[in-house]
Amino acid sequence: QLQVVESGGGLVQPGGSLRLSCAASKFTLDYLKIAWFRQAPGKEREGISCIKMNDGSRNYAESVKGRFTISRDNAQKSVYLQMDSLRPEDTAVYYCAAVYAPWGMCELTTYTYTYWGQGTQVTVSS
């Protein structure tokens, strides 16, 4: 059973940066797509970025394009989300999710992903 665990959340001022980490518990991640989602109070869960572990191709939601960067380290079995120029509206619980699906592009839909972490809180406030 694959497990993914998020870390790196916290409180940051508007305009600041945070780096989230997603660690996966499998020998090889080559067949995975891994994505970051977020959910603010009273709102639906939103897909914000994803990456294919075998070739590094990635996708971003318009709401974070140009501010957030997703990256992978297959040796460390980890995916990172570098979040810059943070805004109060980025405040949410951020989730890492994974699925065994090495074909096609990665997607930002919740139903695509099988394995989910517990989430990490990100709060952007002065």
Side-chain angles (χ1 to χ4, degrees):
Q1 180 84 1
L2 175 67
Q3 291 185 325
V4 291
V5 179
E6 310 93 338
S7 61
L11 173 65
V12 63
Q13 292 187 342
S17 297
L18 277 177
R19 188 192 195 211
L20 304 183
S21 299
C22 173
S25 63
K26 288 302 269 190
F27 178 72
T28 178
L29 307 187
D30 291 348
Y31 302 109
L32 294 180
K33 295 173 182 170
I34 295 181
W36 286 97
F37 291 79
R38 67 185 180 187
Q39 189 165 19
K43 295 190 175 182
E44 292 187 356
R45 193 165 295 190
E46 173 193 17
I48 56 175
S49 187
C50 61
I51 191 166
K52 284 180 63 179
M53 299 302 285
N54 55 3
D55 64 9
S57 58
R58 62 204 73 189
N59 195 11
Y60 295 95
E62 287 299 321
S63 58
V64 304
K65 198 172 289 185
R67 299 188 300 123
F68 291 10
T69 304
I70 193 169
S71 62
R72 77 197 199 283
D73 186 334
N74 292 59
Q76 295 296 321
K77 294 187 283 187
S78 295
V79 168
Y80 307 100
L81 186 69
Q82 177 66 40
M83 306 187 295
D84 299 319
S85 303
L86 283 161
R87 305 166 180 167
E89 54 264 39
D90 294 318
T91 295
V93 177
Y94 283 69
Y95 297 91
C96 178
V99 63
Y100 286 106
W103 51 86
M105 294 294 294
C106 65
E107 299 168 338
L108 296 176
T109 49
T110 55
Y111 58 78
T112 296
Y113 295 88
T114 308
Y115 305 98
W116 291 81
Q118 294 300 307
T120 185
Q121 176 71 45
V122 172
T123 302
V124 185
S125 175
S126 55

